[in-house]
Amino acid sequence: MAENCTRKLIVEICNANNLMPKDGQGTASAYAIVDFAGQRRRTKTKFRDLNPVWDEKLEFLVHDIGSMASEILEINLYNDKKIGKRSNFLGKIKLAGTVFVSAGAESLVYYSLEKRSVFSQVKGEIGVKIFYVDEEAAPTPPEQKEETAEEKPPEEEKPAEENKEEAPKEEEKPNPPPPESSNPQDAVAASTSETNPAPEEENNQPLANKEEPPSETAKYKAETGKSTELIINNLELRSLSGDRNRIGYDLVDPMPFLYVRVVKAKVANKEPACPLHAKIVIGTHSIKTKTQIDRDWDQVFAFDKERLNSCSLEVSVWTEEGQNEEAPSSLAESCLGTVPFDLQEVPKRVPPDSPLAPQWYSLESESETGNDVMVAVWVGTQADEAFQEAWQSDSGGLIPETRAKVYLSPKLWYLRLTVIQTQDLQLDLVSEAKVRSPEIFVKALLGAQLFKTSRTQVGSAWNEDLVFVAAEPFEPFLVVKVADASNGQSVGEVKIHVSSIDRRTDDKTEVKSRWFNLIGGENKPYAGRIHIRVCLEGGYHVLDEAAHVTSDVRATAKQLTKPPIGLLDVGIRGANNLLPVKTKDGPCGTTDAYVVAKYGPKWIHTRTILDRFNPHWNEQYTWDVYDPCTVLTIGVFDNGRYKGDKDVSIGKVRLRLSTLDMNKVYRNSHTLTVLSPDGAKKMGEIEIAIRFCCSSWLSLIQAYGSPMLPRMHHVSPLGPAQQDILRYTAMRIVTARLARSEPALGQEVVQFMLDSDTHVWSMRRSKANWFRVVGCLSRVASLVRWLDEIRTWVHPPTTVLVHGLLVAAVVCSHLVLPTIFMYAFLILALRLRYCRRIPYNVESRLSYVDVVSPDELDEEFDEFPTNKSSDTIRIRYDRLRALASRVQTLLGDVAVQGERLEALFSWKDPRATGILLVFCLFVSLLFYLVPLKVLVLGAGFYYIRHPRFRDDMPSIPINFFRRLPSLSDQIM
């Protein structure tokens, strides 16, 4: 961004729909007032229209680009008091600066109008487009600037309070309408007269044309002549890049580190092209910098102070002579000198202290003189700013694969392609002669994704939607091909630039369809035309993980993102009693453990601590929380990638945020269990500290009442099968993109965190789900057994008490519901004492990993398609058939009960339906003649009558229902 760059915010007020009538005649004359950063603009008045269309662009000057994300844009709609009889409030919206996008990425977004107070009558929505434009300001000569400052009109120096006018109120009488200008930007004076009607904001509303004092950023630019090019939202900055720069590392234990920053060296008697490197030696710990010719390293090394076995530090500079690119091992090293440091004299630094300035030190050598090295040595903790760029000694030194990193999932979109019809296709004459009515179909390709339409005859229309998953940065082209169904050959194709496709955020934005010419190849420059409609859907949330463990439910479009409701702080403290995963130097086992945590699009990768069974990371990270009913996933892995092998999973922990108390710190150890073809195995424990902070109870409660997914999932839902296909496609895209990072986040790691194998058949999961259903129905079964015990007088005192409660409920029926809800309140309040204080985690007992057989585990981890022997496949198939037969019988029994009920009302059995007819007539007369309380009391006494008045045989209604016909006798 240039130093003289200015930013303008463009707010396009497009239209409004279904407004509340306010003029007493069933209509409203609406206009909009827009406030941003002390500036105010006003649109025209649309007379007597409940669905007004303005299409006006209002410009605002962004005074401080760096703080634009924290600004609030407010749009208020009013009924013009000069046209109607009353001046009424029609609604408002407030938008945070985080939803503003750059020019070219804007789209029409409809926002529901909000109330100003509890008594406001508001309905409808308003459609707006908001974007900002960066412009190059022409440089002003110094003399002209001085004249401008001296000739400043005196009207601008008046205080804002003198120019304020009283806000329109509903009790005021109508005034004559002001003259309207054809250009909405020309009526700035008129906009200042229409102030915000909220009285509490009246004294804080400055004029639209009054210049504000320069901001801190503007002063900094004027003094230094520098400009910040990267504009980052404060919330994003705090949650993404400021995790380890925060001073408050209150969830983890402070770890002392010895920091050594080696900046550069000066060598007197060596050639400029001679490569140099520096070595750092502390007892048995030794590490060296990268070898460079320019002698400028600027590298930071962090040594775990508790594991140091020496009180002295030596920094030496070495030269490499005779360097050969073909044989780099044949280098002759010579020491240019050493600088010793006493670790007892090393200063300590605690943020927010400024970084320690490096100093020049003379290298001590018997043969060399005049050589210096610039070094800084200090003692700090993991909260030091240098920790994130330092090479840690417990991570193996200069190994990129063992460093801590933060990854971001790619931004995913749904790309909807609607195939309408084709015209003027140039089909192959031979195939057209063979087939009297040739059939064609359309297939579309986006990267590795391929979808096809159904077959239809030439000249017919499809009107079918093909939905893809597109990730930013997008694939270059969407290829649409028309193919002949008789031979599968392509008739023609067209390539569409994905970056040029229109974007929309809801179903109300119309996307225009277009005709494209099909290209058949070198010999066919024209093969026909195809009519399609294509757009990028920003109103959906693209699921890239299982729905029950989702960590993000926000829509893709930035304009639909709401402000976060809280912060999630996670401290990765350490692990205990990890089992060896691989061998090292013979039969000895070792583990190089690291932790990956995922919440939303943000993945964190802690540093790898080599060769320890009780590693202590003590790293703390922060996420923004947009929905409390989401899940944090934490996995522990053994790093084998730095040796060229794959990473091995050690265990996984899931924590649902809705089960956590607000502003409370949970420090717990969670068991790590991994499932393999050999069975479930406990690999150790991980200690985690977690805290969910939310400043507003109201926003948290509102989140529970709002839909889980964005609006487009409900007004234009995707089918279950289609949603599953798109979710697995999104998983593959995220896996591939993260594997292309540097250092890469392995494919096996991403798949383990996303649970990409949940769709695979598993006997263990089927048993677990079955027992989950049985567990839910057990409560109902317990209630039925309790009622049966009362009915059969198993406990006579309880039955007698129920008789009394029945009489009281019938006599005082108006107290039944209050009593029930009061009992529910007392029961829930008493159960609060037994509330679990430990966050819920993955349970081995619920997953049935301890009772599963080896053959079932081998089947679960089998590849698809299988490569097992025919005998093994036959055994598994027979077992699956036995299980399916039980499910088949259960489904048949459930269908029989529904068919019997349907047959009772459809005269399928005339005698049974006739009996029901007479019974309904008798019951209607009975309810008409006998009071309801008497009938309820009699039915209750009859149900809980004494066993001596009962019969051992089934009752008449049960016998009657069992005799009703079903469709089971008509199935072959």
Side-chain angles (χ1 to χ4, degrees):
M1 188 180 299
E3 298 177 4
N4 56 348
C5 178
T6 60
R7 174 169 293 183
K8 290 184 179 181
L9 180 69
I10 311 298
V11 181
E12 183 176 352
I13 308 297
C14 299
N15 61 341
N17 298 322
N18 196 23
L19 296 179
M20 177 71 71
K22 291 287 185 176
D23 60 355
Q25 300 179 5
T27 61
S29 300
Y31 66 91
I33 292 180
V34 186
D35 294 286
F36 176 76
Q39 306 167 67
R40 171 165 294 179
R41 301 290 185 269
R42 181 188 187 276
T43 66
K44 294 180 181 179
T45 300
K46 295 298 178 180
F47 306 112
R48 304 187 184 281
D49 191 356
L50 296 179
N51 300 284
V53 178
W54 290 282
D55 289 332
E56 297 185 21
K57 291 184 179 181
L58 309 179
E59 294 186 1
F60 297 88
L61 181 62
V62 180
H63 299 292
D64 189 357
I65 299 178
S67 62
M68 186 186 69
S70 60
E71 297 287 350
I72 299 296
L73 175 71
E74 183 172 353
I75 303 176
N76 291 270
L77 289 185
Y78 299 101
N79 176 56
D80 198 332
K81 65 180 180 180
K82 307 170 187 62
I83 304 301
K85 294 182 179 180
R86 296 184 301 172
S87 174
N88 279 358
F89 175 74
L90 295 177
K92 70 174 183 178
I93 62 172
K94 285 187 176 182
L95 303 176
T98 54
V99 303
F100 302 160
V101 297
S102 58
E106 74 278 1
S107 60
L108 179 61
V109 184
Y110 285 90
Y111 297 96
S112 299
L113 294 173
E114 301 175 355
K115 295 182 178 181
R116 185 175 57 188
S117 63
V118 180
F119 304 102
S120 300
Q121 295 182 359
V122 171
K123 72 174 184 178
E125 58 186 6
I126 183 173
V128 297
K129 292 182 180 179
I130 306 174
F131 58 95
Y132 58 85
V133 178
D134 293 327
E135 298 178 350
E136 295 290 338
T140 304
E143 298 179 358
Q144 184 178 353
K145 291 183 180 180
E146 295 178 0
E147 294 177 1
T148 305
E150 294 176 358
E151 299 177 1
K152 188 175 181 180
E155 289 79 9
E156 298 185 1
E157 299 177 1
K158 295 181 180 180
E161 290 78 2
E162 299 179 5
N163 295 309
K164 290 181 181 175
E165 295 185 5
E166 189 174 356
K169 301 180 181 178
E170 296 183 2
E171 297 81 27
E172 290 181 354
K173 298 181 180 180
N175 296 329
E180 293 186 6
S181 172
S182 59
N183 187 0
Q185 299 297 331
D186 296 337
V188 177
S191 69
T192 57
S193 64
E194 300 293 336
T195 56
N196 194 342
E200 62 273 11
E201 298 180 4
E202 204 171 68
N203 296 329
N204 297 326
Q205 181 64 47
L207 290 174
N209 58 354
K210 180 176 175 59
E211 296 184 0
E212 293 188 348
S215 61
E216 296 296 331
T217 305
K219 293 180 180 179
Y220 175 79
K221 294 178 181 179
E223 294 175 0
T224 62
K226 297 181 180 180
S227 153
T228 305
E229 295 187 1
L230 183 60
I231 305 302
I232 303 178
N233 181 5
N234 293 334
L235 294 174
E236 296 175 355
L237 181 65
R238 176 173 52 182
S239 61
L240 291 179
S241 62
D243 291 322
R244 288 176 291 179
N245 291 336
R246 300 173 61 208
I247 300 174
Y249 263 53
D250 53 342
L251 299 184
V252 295
D253 297 331
M255 296 182 64
F257 283 91
L258 175 65
Y259 290 93
V260 181
R261 178 186 292 273
V262 183
V263 183
K264 55 185 177 180
K266 291 191 302 185
V267 181
N269 300 325
K270 291 294 180 181
E271 298 179 359
C274 181
L276 298 176
H277 68 267
K279 284 185 180 180
I280 303 171
V281 179
I282 308 176
T284 58
H285 295 80
S286 177
I287 194 171
K288 72 174 185 176
T289 65
K290 54 188 176 182
T291 303
Q292 287 191 349
I293 299 178
D294 57 3
R295 304 165 186 178
D296 189 358
W297 303 290
D298 197 13
Q299 287 184 279
V300 184
F301 300 90
F303 298 87
D304 190 354
K305 199 168 183 300
E306 295 181 353
R307 296 178 65 89
L308 297 180
N309 52 10
S310 177
C311 295
S312 62
L313 162 70
E314 291 184 357
V315 179
S316 56
V317 178
W318 297 72
T319 180
E320 298 179 358
E321 299 177 354
Q323 184 177 5
N324 188 357
E325 297 181 357
E326 298 179 357
S329 58
S330 61
L331 299 178
E333 296 184 350
S334 61
C335 182
L336 300 180
T338 304
V339 179
F341 293 90
D342 187 1
L343 298 185
Q344 302 295 333
E345 303 296 333
V346 172
K348 296 182 180 180
R349 177 183 176 269
V350 178
D353 294 347
S354 299
L356 191 66
Q359 299 180 9
W360 286 103
Y361 294 90
S362 299
L363 295 173
E364 300 179 0
S365 176
E366 297 180 357
S367 58
E368 299 283 346
T369 58
N371 300 327
D372 299 328
V373 62
M374 181 179 286
V375 181
V377 182
W378 72 94
V379 174
T381 63
Q382 72 270 32
D384 199 294
E385 291 86 350
F387 184 81
Q388 56 184 336
E389 61 174 322
W391 299 90
Q392 290 82 18
S393 61
D394 53 4
S395 299
L398 297 175
I399 304 177
E401 291 80 5
T402 61
R403 302 190 68 180
K405 288 289 182 181
V406 175
Y407 299 87
L408 286 179
S409 297
K411 189 175 183 179
L412 303 178
W413 295 73
Y414 282 146
L415 189 149
R416 186 186 297 272
L417 171 66
T418 304
V419 182
I420 302 175
Q421 62 179 352
T422 57
Q423 285 185 359
D424 195 22
L425 293 181
Q426 307 295 319
L427 296 176
D428 189 2
L429 298 179
V430 177
S431 62
E432 190 174 1
K434 292 181 180 179
V435 183
R436 181 171 300 177
S437 299
E439 293 183 345
I440 58 174
F441 65 93
V442 176
K443 60 181 179 180
L445 297 92
L446 180 65
Q449 305 175 60
L450 171 64
F451 291 99
K452 301 179 181 179
T453 64
S454 59
R455 297 184 178 184
T456 184
Q457 295 182 356
V458 176
S460 302
W462 286 277
N463 289 319
E464 294 185 20
D465 288 342
L466 304 179
V467 183
F468 301 82
V469 178
E472 294 183 357
F474 297 119
E475 298 286 343
F477 297 103
L478 170 66
V479 183
V480 182
K481 297 183 179 180
V482 180
D484 190 348
S486 60
N487 53 19
Q489 295 182 356
S490 176
V491 178
E493 67 177 32
V494 60
K495 293 184 177 181
I496 304 173
H497 286 276
V498 179
S499 58
S500 63
I501 295 177
D502 295 334
R503 306 181 184 186
R504 70 172 186 174
T505 58
D506 51 26
D507 59 328
K508 300 179 181 179
T509 305
E510 296 183 1
V511 179
K512 296 181 180 180
S513 58
R514 297 174 58 189
W515 286 94
F516 291 91
N517 293 334
L518 296 173
I519 300 176
E522 298 179 357
N523 300 327
K524 286 185 178 181
Y526 176 76
R529 297 196 307 165
I530 185 171
H531 191 198
I532 60 176
R533 182 188 302 111
V534 60
C535 67
L536 288 169
E537 299 280 6
Y540 291 93
H541 169 69
V542 182
L543 292 171
D544 59 349
E545 50 193 346
H548 60 281
V549 293
T550 182
S551 59
D552 190 12
V553 293
R554 291 175 294 167
T556 302
K558 185 179 179 182
Q559 298 92 327
L560 300 179
T561 302
K562 296 182 180 180
I565 63 174
L567 289 176
L568 176 65
D569 294 326
V570 179
I572 311 296
R573 298 174 62 86
N576 300 318
N577 304 321
L578 295 181
L579 297 182
V581 177
K582 55 192 174 185
T583 59
K584 176 184 178 183
D585 299 334
C588 298
T590 182
T591 299
D592 305 327
Y594 68 91
V595 178
V596 174
K598 179 192 182 298
Y599 185 78
K602 177 181 172 182
W603 302 63
I604 65 99
H605 182 300
T606 67
R607 70 187 190 279
T608 302
I609 298 182
L610 304 180
D611 196 17
R612 293 191 197 176
F613 298 122
N614 297 282
H616 294 282
W617 295 282
N618 284 312
E619 299 182 18
Q620 185 168 335
Y621 298 89
T622 303
W623 285 267
D624 290 324
V625 178
Y626 295 87
D627 194 290
C629 301
T630 46
V631 178
L632 169 70
T633 304
I634 300 175
V636 184
F637 301 89
D638 175 78
N639 195 335
R641 187 167 294 273
Y642 77 98
K643 290 185 177 181
D645 300 329
K646 290 186 176 182
D647 296 344
V648 180
S649 58
I650 298 178
K652 182 163 50 180
V653 175
R654 288 199 193 101
L655 301 173
R656 184 170 290 273
L657 269 62
S658 59
T659 62
L660 305 177
D661 292 337
M662 288 175 48
N663 303 322
K664 180 180 179 181
V665 178
Y666 293 86
R667 288 190 179 93
N668 302 103
S669 295
H670 303 273
T671 303
L672 298 173
T673 304
V674 65
L675 189 63
S676 64
D678 299 331
K681 189 176 183 181
K682 294 183 179 180
M683 302 296 294
E685 294 182 347
I686 181 173
E687 186 179 359
I688 301 172
I690 185 171
R691 177 178 57 209
F692 174 43
C693 300
C694 183
S695 58
S696 174
W697 268 96
L698 182 60
S699 60
L700 190 62
I701 295 174
Q702 287 178 348
Y704 277 88
S706 60
M708 190 76 177
L709 293 173
R711 180 177 178 272
M712 284 293 290
H713 286 271
H714 304 281
V715 298
S716 182
L718 302 172
Q722 186 182 26
Q723 188 71 66
D724 290 339
I725 295 174
L726 294 175
R727 180 167 64 248
Y728 300 131
T729 303
M731 288 181 180
R732 290 194 295 268
I733 292 176
V734 172
T735 302
R737 291 293 179 90
L738 293 179
R740 291 162 53 185
S741 305
E742 186 61 36
L745 193 60
Q747 177 180 359
E748 62 280 0
V749 175
V750 179
Q751 291 178 351
F752 182 76
M753 296 289 290
L754 295 179
D755 282 342
S756 59
D757 59 345
T758 52
H759 63 290
V760 179
W761 161 257
S762 171
M763 180 67 73
R764 175 187 60 83
R765 289 198 188 99
S766 301
K767 290 181 179 180
N769 293 335
W770 168 256
F771 286 110
R772 287 169 58 195
V773 174
V774 172
C776 294
L777 297 178
S778 63
R779 273 64 170 185
V780 180
S782 300
L783 179 61
V784 172
R785 285 196 301 268
W786 180 73
L787 293 176
D788 187 69
E789 290 176 357
I790 293 176
R791 187 176 66 92
T792 56
W793 291 69
V794 175
H795 302 287
T798 305
T799 308
V800 173
L801 179 61
V802 171
H803 279 79
L805 292 176
L806 178 62
V807 174
V810 172
V811 175
C812 304
S813 58
H814 62 283
L815 297 178
V816 174
L817 291 179
T819 304
I820 292 175
F821 283 102
M822 180 56 67
Y823 272 112
F825 168 75
L826 294 176
I827 292 173
L828 293 176
L830 291 175
R831 286 190 175 183
L832 181 61
R833 299 171 53 190
Y834 307 101
C835 179
R836 184 172 178 176
R837 303 301 177 184
I838 302 176
Y840 291 89
N841 186 21
V842 178
E843 292 189 8
S844 302
R845 179 187 59 83
L846 188 62
S847 304
Y848 280 84
V849 296
D850 298 330
V851 295
V852 63
S853 63
D855 183 61
E856 293 175 352
L857 280 177
D858 185 65
E859 179 185 12
E860 182 175 346
F861 285 92
D862 192 10
E863 298 178 355
F864 188 85
T866 182
N867 54 4
K868 299 294 182 181
S869 62
S870 58
D871 295 336
T872 304
I873 295 176
R874 184 175 64 254
I875 294 173
R876 294 176 179 176
Y877 177 66
D878 293 339
R879 182 176 60 199
L880 185 60
R881 289 179 61 191
L883 178 62
S885 64
R886 298 179 186 176
V887 176
Q888 172 183 305
T889 304
L890 178 62
L891 294 177
D893 294 339
V894 173
V896 164
Q897 309 307 321
E899 292 166 357
R900 285 173 176 173
L901 187 63
E902 183 180 0
L904 185 61
F905 294 93
S906 62
W907 292 89
K908 191 173 184 179
D909 187 345
R911 285 173 292 277
T913 308
I915 293 173
L916 177 64
L917 180 68
V918 176
F919 176 77
C920 291
L921 178 61
F922 173 76
V923 171
S924 64
L925 295 175
L926 181 65
F927 273 90
Y928 178 75
L929 298 175
V930 182
L932 181 61
K933 293 183 178 180
V934 176
L935 291 177
V936 173
L937 191 62
F941 282 155
Y942 178 79
Y943 179 77
I944 56 177
R945 66 190 183 278
H946 198 272
R948 68 175 59 185
F949 302 109
R950 296 179 181 277
D951 191 3
D952 296 336
M953 302 302 292
S955 62
I956 295 177
I958 294 178
N959 294 331
F960 178 78
F961 187 78
R962 289 177 178 175
R963 291 177 178 275
L964 295 175
S966 65
L967 300 179
S968 58
D969 54 347
Q970 301 179 21
I971 298 178
M972 298 181 62

